[in-house]
Amino acid sequence: MTFLQPVLLWALPAALLPVLIHLLNRLRFRSVKWAAMMFLVSATRSAARRARLRHWLVMACRCALILFFVLAAARPLAGGWLGLVASSAPDTAIVLLDRSASMERRDAVTGTGLREKAIDTLSASSGFGRGASSCVFIENASRTPQQVADMGAIRDLTLAGPSDTACDMPAMFRAALDCMTSGRSGRTEIWVASDLQRSNWRPESPEWENIAAALGAWGADVRVRVLAVSGGGSANRSVRMNGAEKRTSAGRPFLSLKVDLSRTQGAGASFPAIVTIDGNRSQVDVTMASENYRLALKPDLPGDRLSNGWGKVEIPSDDNPRDNACYVAFGEPGLMKAVVAASDPAAGGILRLALCPASDRFGRSAVRVEAADLASMGLADAALVVIQGNPPSGAAGAALGKYVESGGVVAVFPPSADGPAAAGSNSLGVAWKAMETAQKDRPFRVPVWDENDGVLSRSDNGRNLDVGDLSVATRRLPVVDGLSGVAWHGIAHYQDNEPFLFQGRLGGGSVFVFTTLPVESWSDLGEGRVLVPALQRMLFMGAGRLLACANGICGEWQPPGDGGEWLPADGRESGNPLYEAGVYRSGEQMVALNRPAAEDDPQSLEKEEVKRLFGDVRVDLVEETAGAATGAGGGEVWRMLVVLAFLALVAEACLLLFEKAPGRARGAERSRAA
Amino acid sequence: MPSAPDRTFLDAAVLSRLSRLTVSPRMPMIGSVTGIHKSAHRGSSVEFAEYRKYVPGDDTRHVDWRVYARSDRFYMKEFEADTNLRCYIVLDTSGSMAFEGRHGSKFDHALRMAATLAHLLVHQGDAVGFMCFSDRILRDVPPRHSPSHLKNIFDVMAGLSPSGKTEIVKTLHDAAERIHQRALVIVFSDLFAEVEPLMDCFQHMRFRKHDLSVFHLLDRQELEFDFDRPIRFVDMEGPFAMITDPASIRAGYKAEVAAHLDAVRRGCNEFNVDYQLVHTDIHYEQLLAAFLLQRMRKARLAGAAR
């Protein structure tokens, strides 16, 4: 049994007050000289046993009265038949089931996953479905309300099964609120089964204020019960695809795979990994040097395979079977087109050359346009858009923003003319501070950059780019707080920690911002040792969305509107691309779907954080830990305890009011006989 | 100068009011002098009692010649004899009699009644003796009918204080043996003893042809037991003490008291003991007046029946 107000249990010792008062009364006796001792002794002897029993029963009733009142005040939750008979039923019960990838963590002893445990607990709990006239089920992947008869029916639903998606808890609550409003649900209980993963609940989201306000408007008619399932995952390894690129070395095609591995302390560091390329399996023995490890694989591709393909990396199953595989789809990008909109002619020319040294060769093309023409020219087939100067606003800015959100990549260079621009005046939210010029013999250097990942990472042969050798005479630092929802992070920094190059993800695409120009008066970036590989990698990154094969996030990817059926292409007999990771094919198109990266984040919310999200709305938090059910998840049984207290009161009254000594009966009989 | 004797147990007003009443026995007594009570023997009073046949040697002055004229047989007239009353007042002076309620102690109450009765008896020409006891007979003053003897009895009474254990059964048996001739025995006690041995005492008294009256003194608090919180009850006749919650045993206590009173009453009825239950909250004059009037009524009825 759990309690909603456990602090009141500190008042439980008050149940001993009747005993204490009884002992104090016994100490307060006075002495009386008594002559009729023979009657006293006789009465005490004859009534002793019965009177003592009645006395202790009265004491027990008084102690029980206080005990039941204190327990009722602590608002206990009980499951099973106790919660069934003691708690009241709502009109509508809504279950929000988090069936994201992290909910498949399994208990090492029982082998039961958190999702299954949550379903079992809700089935056993008397609080759900019992007596409710309407039961609604909402899961995180589709967020579509579904009427069910009872909890037993949910267990059999496909939509209650495992998935590789993430959970957007605020969105699930919005779906629940829509259901309550449209269905006129009356007294409603919202049951949330979740592992309280922080990335799912997103406590920093401003949506919670609206959700709390909407729930609060229902007043006492709504009640939220959060079933927090936890445990498992103590011996777990996960694998995540970080990047894949088709390469050729000495005429030998291979697939350059970057796989990120992580493990908990309980999981072994050495294990075999199975690499499957288009159905061809090979094994790689892996030894993780640390708990987070990047594995670089270069499986060979068949010589005649220049078209699309897929890859899969698997590690042995462990406490969470949903994070032991990652997928990738690769292919030839075709003609990669770059669009350069530069206000400075010199910089524009260098940028075009860096992107496409020779026109129509190497499968690349670069066209120079005016920034204002971006709206009319169409960017759907552009792999990369390079803006030198202030990003456009108006229609061009809107087209650019739409391009980025659809997966496009934009590289931004500062304007060559001085004068800051407001960040909010363009669709990318990028503005510039004033130009800064370095001292003559002390140019700005870039000693820090990300060598392992991103556009400045080392080459396939392990050689670093010459980022540290860059000499920057003039720079313009950006102001990038004009857009909300964009996560900016630095890729390279000057010696004074100001960014040289940083990246922001906007929708499906990325924006790279440089702080210097590739013209001689600004820096030696135009020499190409850094600029060319960086821009080429950005070009490849942007070209990924144009491939016949694509890589997406399970739960975020939506099939194109052509209505084709997407079937598993990775050897599985069945699979649903909306919920399950894997490789899927529809006609000539192929997509590799992986679980969201946020599902690997182990951080979870604290109980108090959960309650704070809902403001004044009444929230009951029930815990279900692995291996031991510590939360009943059932109904409140305080009413039953109040009834018991009342019965104890009545019993005490009966014992006191209707007490009858045996001597009185015998005396009455003697009187009648006389 | 010697101090005046303590006579607080005597109330002149009460004595004055009760002086018109007489202490009457319920059966013919055997006295030493002529008195106002019927004697067990035949005497020479003016009151005709009965006829009996003449036997040689009888005094011929009492031959009823009219009967002889009618029947040619000789019959002698018998006349009632009047004698005085021999009374023993037996007072319980054990420690339990010291129990004091709201209206004084049982001992004081008993002493007042005993002294008043003694005064009445002496002034109506009867002989009064006095015994007091606790675990044994402590004082035994033989009966006399002189006023100076009454003073002696009052002096003994004044020097009494209740103490010691109650051994009423043993002492009543002892008293029954000590009182040789038929007498009126008035016992003042709280009768804290087992009923059956007590009834044996009463039966002993009756066997000795005594007219036994028992004044059973109890305080209202001993009857009602109206305490409201745990009390440490200390025995007045010994070191025994017990702590109990009166509320939990009140019903049983009152049942025990009722059973005891009932048994005593039935036993007294069986052995023709004149039983008087005395509540100390009722004035002793009222009780004595009722007692004396009841006895006078019975004596008149007994004389009329004869």
Side-chain angles (χ1 to χ4, degrees), chain B residues 7-18 103 106 108-117 120 188 215 217 278-292:
Chain B
R7 296 286 187 267
T8 55
F9 44 81
L10 283 176
D11 188 335
V14 173
L15 290 173
S16 169
R17 285 192 289 271
L18 292 177
H103 303 280
K106 291 186 290 188
D108 288 340
H109 213 78
L111 197 61
R112 287 178 206 279
M113 287 195 288
T116 304
L117 279 174
L120 290 175
F188 294 88
F215 282 78
L217 293 103
V278 177
H279 297 156
T280 54
D281 56 338
I282 298 175
H283 198 272
Y284 71 94
E285 179 185 352
Q286 187 178 337
L287 292 165
L288 284 180
F291 168 70
L292 295 173

Side-chain angles (χ1 to χ4, degrees), chain A residues 372-428:
Chain A
D373 296 336
L374 290 175
S376 58
M377 69 173 297
L379 300 174
D381 59 347
L384 175 68
V385 174
V386 179
I387 304 290
Q388 185 272 314
N390 288 317
S393 55
L400 190 65
K402 195 174 173 184
Y403 164 78
V404 175
E405 288 184 1
S406 68
V409 177
V410 174
V412 181
F413 289 84
S416 54
D418 208 346
S425 64
N426 59 74
S427 57
L428 301 181

